[in-house]
Amino acid sequence: MRAMVITRFGGPDVFERRDTERPTAGPGEVLVRVVASGTNPVDAKIRQAGAWANIPFPAVLGYDVSGVIEALGPGVTGFDVGDAVFYTPEIFGNPNGSYAEYTVASAAIVARKPDNLSHIEAAGIPLAGGTAWEAIVRRLAVRPGETVLIHGGAGGVGSFAIQFAKAAGARVIATASTANHAALQELGADVAVDYRDPDAAERITRETAGRGVDAAFDTAGGNVPLSTQVTRPFGRIATILAPTGDLSALYTKNQTLFGTFLTREGARLREMAPLFERGQAKVIVDSILPLEEVAKAHERLDSGHGRGKVILRVGE
Amino acid sequence: MRAMVITRFGGPDVFERRDTERPTAGPGEVLVRVVASGTNPVDAKIRQAGAWANIPFPAVLGYDVSGVIEALGPGVTGFDVGDAVFYTPEIFGNPNGSYAEYTVASAAIVARKPDNLSHIEAAGIPLAGGTAWEAIVRRLAVRPGETVLIHGGAGGVGSFAIQFAKAAGARVIATASTANHAALQELGADVAVDYRDPDAAERITRETAGRGVDAAFDTAGGNVPLSTQVTRPFGRIATILAPTGDLSALYTKNQTLFGTFLTREGARLREMAPLFERGQAKVIVDSILPLEEVAKAHERLDSGHGRGKVILRVGE
């Protein structure tokens, strides 16, 4: 099968097109023909220096799939050959990512693709959308009428977080560079704040009439101290990176901090699907490239300036 | 009235016996004749350098009361003159603490003393017990069958935390210096670990068969990083001090961190009372001193080696 593999860590030029053996579905697994593969910042981190992920070389990276089930391994129930599915492959120790014509996964982490989404769109959801869902819906448990602060609202996770918080009935304050404020508003943010504004904390506090936001979500890293300042007593904060800096206000204000790191499960994808089916959330696609141009996608990831998902078209 | 006041910050010798004006109960307040006053580490922190607490001089410190209602302010319902009550006075900006014959408080933070407890015992509960209750019962929400790690189990908050976690049906691993391990076991701890043991993390992990504890409570400060290591994925951690150090595992393990700082409310005291009434929790009294010997109590607090509460007898 066609695959873009790496045999060492480095720049976007480390990808090589190879014809590799098609993987086979073991017990409890499904073999999926990849139609589209999403790309995420974590892909670039692993490509650069991913020894921590314990992936044996040659490695196929890629952690977002939309495709069609080609074969069922022993003991798989609930899926049929030909089902359109989407999911995010495991990272740790997994050399069979989504930058290839076929990939295998435990059936437990796979879900049916919403019918109204193309494979290109669906491939943009599982990793970033799942992370945002875990934080906004499961951990922060955002409720109607609350005000939620989302740091890095124009990024992959932040874009979904804004939409999920709005769907939950919250008012959303989102941060991004001023150049991305129109994008924040398109996603549904009620207030856009430039994270480089030295008065950002004051601005956010003023937007809540001094009360503080009910919940904050740091998708960018380094914003937990600011979040403790602008979140109300007994408020909640979620982060997808290690919290650093002065966290004193976390205890003086009786706040709760949720560390969030995506675990793989089909159930979460099934929870999220209705929002996409009803049009309450959508995928922002930045560009579509053929699988063989994965290096270009990684140049875009390395720049940190993506505004939406870069999707690889792998099959039809 | 008799009161032990301070007019400057400093050592235990800053206390002066004075005859001061008895406070009066304003709207929504009760005037309480103090029978016993508890002492807590925060009293010593304020006495040493408590500018942060915004208490005007001359100040009566003391944040644990058991006594009898002497008068009701306008609008107070639900209490009668003569009711035996216990509570923890506000700290911030309050110059009318419990090191005096009388003190006033909002009726909202006061509760009836459990009948089976003496005033001496009841005065040892509100601040430390309330803090442990907030962490173990309300925030960590410890459930039967769970394993809970309590750092500083021999201290004021830790002693209650062990008992509350046991009452909730948990298995308790507690840390203290080896000299205090018998005390931990008397309180109900199933496993006692010396916090200075370099293999403490390994020992705790082994006690959970490698699974990690379900919840951890840092009453001593500085133990959140160790807690993230020995707590299972999706486990909970509470701290009553600012979290410091490497908190990476908080997000990679999807853990929740509860910052905890006691707010004053009568409702929490009423929640806690049944455990004391049924004998499922008790107060460890280290010693009883007359009000005038508050300096001795503070010497004991300063030593950091108290094993139970030092209670001041103020009246009869």
Side-chain angles (χ1 to χ4, degrees), chain B residues 111 133-134 137-138 265-275:
Chain B
W133 189 268
E134 186 68 22
V137 178
R138 289 191 176 177
E265 47 172 279
R268 190 189 300 101
L269 294 167
R270 287 187 287 275
E271 279 176 35
M272 292 162 55
L275 281 199

Side-chain angles (χ1 to χ4, degrees), chain B residues 43-84:
Chain B
D43 306 15
K45 277 194 206 166
I46 295 172
R47 187 211 73 222
Q48 285 156 14
W52 54 269
N54 264 324
I55 303 170
F57 289 133
V60 176
L61 309 186
Y63 306 101
D64 263 332
V65 176
S66 185
V68 176
I69 291 183
E70 181 82 9
L72 304 176
V76 172
T77 57
F79 289 105
D80 288 311
V81 169
D83 283 350

Side-chain angles (χ1 to χ4, degrees), chain A residues 134 139 234-235 239-248 250-263 268, chain B residues 134 139 234-235 239-248 250-263 268:
Chain A
E134 186 69 21
R139 309 292 296 281
F234 289 93
T239 179
I240 55 172
L241 290 152
T244 54
D246 179 1
L247 304 180
S248 302
L250 191 78
Y251 92 97
T252 58
K253 294 173 80 176
N254 279 291
Q255 293 166 340
T256 300
L257 178 60
F258 297 105
T260 307
F261 188 89
L262 193 67
T263 56
R268 190 189 299 102
Chain B
E134 186 68 22
R139 310 291 295 283
F234 288 94
T239 179
I240 56 171
L241 290 153
T244 54
D246 180 1
L247 304 179
S248 302
L250 191 79
Y251 92 97
T252 58
K253 294 173 80 176
N254 279 291
Q255 293 166 341
T256 300
L257 177 61
F258 297 105
T260 306
F261 188 88
L262 193 67
T263 55
R268 190 189 300 101

Side-chain angles (χ1 to χ4, degrees), chain B residues 33-146:
Chain B
R33 180 170 60 77
V34 180
V35 178
S37 168
T39 61
N40 290 283
V42 70
D43 306 15
K45 277 194 206 166
I46 295 172
R47 187 211 73 222
Q48 285 156 14
W52 54 269
N54 264 324
I55 303 170
F57 289 133
V60 176
L61 309 186
Y63 306 101
D64 263 332
V65 176
S66 185
V68 176
I69 291 183
E70 181 82 9
L72 304 176
V76 172
T77 57
F79 289 105
D80 288 311
V81 169
D83 283 350
V85 295
F86 72 145
Y87 66 96
T88 173
E90 288 290 352
I91 291 179
F92 293 96
N94 176 22
N96 291 304
S98 54
Y99 297 169
E101 270 186 296
Y102 293 91
T103 183
V104 290
S106 162
I109 70 169
V110 170
R112 278 196 178 65
K113 177 181 78 63
D115 287 337
N116 63 318
L117 297 184
S118 67
H119 283 290
I120 294 290
E121 291 170 319
I125 295 173
L127 194 152
T131 302
W133 189 268
E134 186 68 22
I136 295 290
V137 178
R138 289 191 176 177
R139 310 291 295 283
L140 294 171
V142 168
R143 289 185 293 266
E146 290 196 318

Side-chain angles (χ1 to χ4, degrees), chain A residues 163-186:
Chain A
Q163 298 180 77
F164 295 162
K166 289 300 291 183
R171 176 165 174 258
V172 172
I173 302 173
T175 73
S177 61
T178 299
N180 280 332
H181 281 192
L184 295 183
Q185 267 139 5
E186 257 173 69

Side-chain angles (χ1 to χ4, degrees), chain A residues 29-55:
Chain A
E29 292 183 333
V30 293
L31 173 69
V32 174
R33 180 170 59 78
V34 180
V35 178
S37 168
T39 62
N40 290 283
V42 71
D43 305 15
K45 277 193 207 168
I46 295 173
R47 188 211 72 223
Q48 284 156 15
W52 53 269
N54 265 324
I55 303 169

Side-chain angles (χ1 to χ4, degrees), chain A residues 2 5 22 52 116 300:
Chain A
R2 284 181 300 132
V5 307
R22 183 198 284 197
W52 53 269
N116 63 319
R300 191 119 178 95

